Amino acid sequence: MENSKEIKLTKYERNGSLTWGKLKEYLPAMIVTNLSELLLITVDGVVVGNFAGEKAFSSVALFSPITMIIGVISTLVSIGISTCMSTSMGGNDKSDINRIKGASFWLMIYMTIFVAVVQIPVIWIFIKAYGLSGEIYLLTWQYAIGLMISFPFGLVSYVGTIELQITGKMKMLMKLSIMEGIVNLVLDLLFVGAFKMGVAGAGYGTACANVVRCSVTVFLLSKYTDIYHHKGYKKKLSDFIEVLRYGVPEALDALISALEGYILVKIMLSVFGEDAGTINGVCIFCGSLANVLIGGITGSMRPMVGLLAGAGDKKGLNTVMNQGKKVSIALIGGAIALMLIIPQVLYSMNGVKDIPKYGIASVRFKAVSYMFVAFNALLRLYLVSRKDAKYTTKTVLFTDISLRKRRAS
């Protein structure tokens, strides 16, 4: 009787109905979570563009690559924690799970302090290197101050998102994400629209939303999970390095993309002048929409991929990856089609009335690349979950540098 139950369970898992059910459960919550992240930054541009004018919108767009550069640290920590935590749970070793929980907690604390300190000179250097004119330079700094307040809180929130997902609190995560997005949107409209604070108001709105999200996330994790419980754990540098090592491929890819975006903005400034900020802002908006879907798909797959990889279930792992591939083709393909058909609407949404020369072509050209970005993300997820971190890092370096050289030529 027991053997027949085992056979049924194996068939249930192998034909993908179990993993497909979990994917459908996780996907909406992760898309909503990523949408809230989109609202935190991208909605700033939409609100500022409609209430404060195109120069203010350009300043938000110009700061976006710098936001991505600082965000690399959050990616490094959160993806490392997610991979180590899920594979450890898949291995079902209680002492190892406790060790990873302890290392993850203290690593989050230390890296939050690190971000708070390091961001100040980094942001100053990158803004200065733009060589902006007086008004745009001041507007960019006005926006930057609010974002600098938010970055440390954002790291804790990002890690908390991963931990809520791993502990199965998907409904809680979805409600939290909706709350954050609404708070940021309301505060942006209040500060920028009602109080006429301009681009500075958008920055402070994002900061307030991040503080609220961070506080509620820590409270929920403390009260409803044991993720912060790590009795008897002694801090070790080797444990911190282990966790960070599995976040390196994703962080490296994010860093290369961020630096590429920054350099591209500098080139566009020299060619298009102030129109560069407008074109780049709309392209960033499109990229953010695509990343909501890409991040939602990989984020919903990550716990299952980690558990199956940790348990050594190669067939189950391949099943999940194939399901993720099909979802990516459907969702990302649909998003690309819309961007190719209605690029004018995307400019209108950001308050841009006069579309700059080559603005439409820029959006369409950028849209085509998103399917490649999606499959690249799936490949990194697969390799890192199998703990092929070194190989994945080399692959990211080789493919990204090769693609950048080809684009440059």
Side-chain angles (χ1 to χ4, degrees):
M1 186 71 177
E2 288 182 2
N3 289 336
S4 64
K5 285 182 179 179
E6 287 178 3
I7 291 169
K8 287 180 181 179
L9 180 60
T10 302
K11 287 181 178 178
Y12 182 62
E13 292 174 342
R14 290 290 180 269
N15 66 22
S17 53
L18 177 62
T19 53
W20 180 247
K22 283 295 179 184
L23 189 60
K24 288 192 292 185
E25 178 187 346
Y26 290 166
L27 187 59
M30 291 309 299
I31 287 178
V32 170
T33 299
N34 287 328
L35 191 58
S36 75
E37 295 292 331
L38 168 70
L39 289 175
L40 276 176
I41 302 299
T42 308
V43 79
D44 288 352
V46 175
V47 173
V48 166
N50 282 280
F51 286 94
E54 291 188 17
K55 282 192 175 181
F57 173 67
S58 294
S59 69
V60 174
L62 291 171
F63 192 75
S64 183
I66 303 173
T67 300
M68 293 171 63
I69 289 168
I70 302 297
V72 167
I73 300 172
S74 295
T75 301
L76 174 69
V77 177
S78 59
I79 298 301
I81 289 174
S82 175
T83 302
C84 285
M85 193 79 75
S86 56
T87 52
S88 180
M89 288 178 174
N92 201 28
D93 184 336
K94 290 184 179 180
S95 63
D96 190 57
I97 293 171
N98 187 70
R99 179 180 67 86
I100 296 298
K101 281 163 61 177
S104 299
F105 176 81
W106 287 108
L107 184 62
M108 178 185 70
I109 299 296
Y110 294 146
M111 294 303 286
T112 299
I113 297 169
F114 178 76
V115 167
V117 175
V118 169
Q119 66 171 336
I120 298 170
V122 170
I123 290 172
W124 182 85
I125 289 168
F126 278 102
I127 291 180
K128 198 73 176 175
Y130 271 143
L132 300 171
S133 62
E135 186 180 2
I136 291 291
Y137 180 76
L138 289 174
L139 288 171
T140 304
W141 265 115
Q142 287 174 18
Y143 181 63
I145 292 170
L147 271 290
M148 289 169 72
I149 296 170
S150 74
F151 285 140
F153 295 100
L155 188 149
V156 177
S157 296
Y158 196 3
V159 172
T161 295
I162 297 293
E163 291 172 335
L164 283 170
Q165 184 191 12
I166 289 172
T167 53
K169 307 296 182 182
M170 299 308 296
K171 289 183 179 179
M172 196 177 290
L173 176 59
M174 186 180 291
K175 291 176 183 177
L176 185 62
S177 301
I178 293 171
M179 177 206 72
E180 180 186 35
I182 292 173
V183 168
N184 186 54
L185 179 59
V186 170
L187 290 177
D188 273 4
L189 291 171
L190 185 66
F191 292 161
V192 180
F195 295 165
K196 307 297 182 183
M197 293 174 65
V199 71
Y204 292 131
T206 299
C208 292
N210 261 305
V211 171
V212 171
R213 167 70 183 260
C214 176
S215 303
V216 176
T217 300
V218 171
F219 170 76
L220 293 175
L221 285 168
S222 300
K223 185 172 182 178
Y224 296 105
T225 76
D226 64 349
I227 204 77
Y228 293 153
H229 299 170
H230 43 269
K231 188 176 180 180
Y233 173 73
K234 295 181 179 179
K235 296 186 284 291
K236 291 181 181 179
L237 180 61
S238 59
D239 290 341
F240 297 156
I241 292 172
E242 179 186 348
V243 174
L244 290 175
R245 186 159 61 95
Y246 294 109
V248 168
E250 286 290 335
L252 183 62
D253 182 74
L255 179 60
I256 293 172
S257 297
L259 290 173
E260 180 194 22
Y262 179 81
I263 294 168
L264 181 61
V265 169
K266 290 200 70 174
I267 295 170
M268 290 173 70
L269 281 168
S270 65
V271 176
F272 299 114
E274 291 184 0
D275 284 343
T278 302
I279 296 172
N280 188 55
V282 176
C283 287
I284 288 170
F285 179 71
C286 295
S288 298
L289 293 173
N291 285 329
V292 164
L293 299 176
I294 295 169
I297 294 165
T298 56
S300 61
M301 293 170 62
R302 198 176 301 279
M304 291 183 290
V305 169
L307 287 168
L308 292 166
D313 188 348
K314 293 182 179 179
K315 290 184 178 179
L317 184 59
N318 289 336
T319 299
V320 176
M321 295 308 302
N322 284 328
Q323 290 169 342
K325 187 166 59 177
K326 292 175 183 177
V327 173
S328 295
I329 291 171
L331 294 183
I332 307 302
I336 291 171
L338 285 174
M339 292 175 196
L340 293 174
I341 295 169
I342 54 168
Q344 298 90 341
V345 175
L346 298 170
Y347 276 93
S348 298
M349 288 174 65
N350 286 278
V352 179
K353 296 177 181 178
D354 298 321
I355 300 174
K357 188 178 181 181
Y358 303 118
I360 297 294
S362 297
V363 169
R364 286 174 171 161
F365 180 76
K366 190 72 175 174
V368 175
S369 68
Y370 296 139
M371 188 62 73
F372 298 99
V373 174
F375 278 93
N376 189 18
L378 289 175
L379 177 61
R380 291 196 308 274
L381 172 63
Y382 176 76
L383 292 173
V384 171
S385 295
R386 293 185 61 184
K387 297 205 169 180
D388 293 329
K390 287 184 179 179
Y391 176 74
T392 312
T393 302
K394 291 176 182 177
T395 303
V396 168
L397 274 172
F398 176 76
T399 54
D400 279 0
I401 291 173
S402 297
L403 283 171
R404 269 63 179 185
K405 281 184 178 179
R406 191 168 296 177
R407 286 179 190 173
S409 63

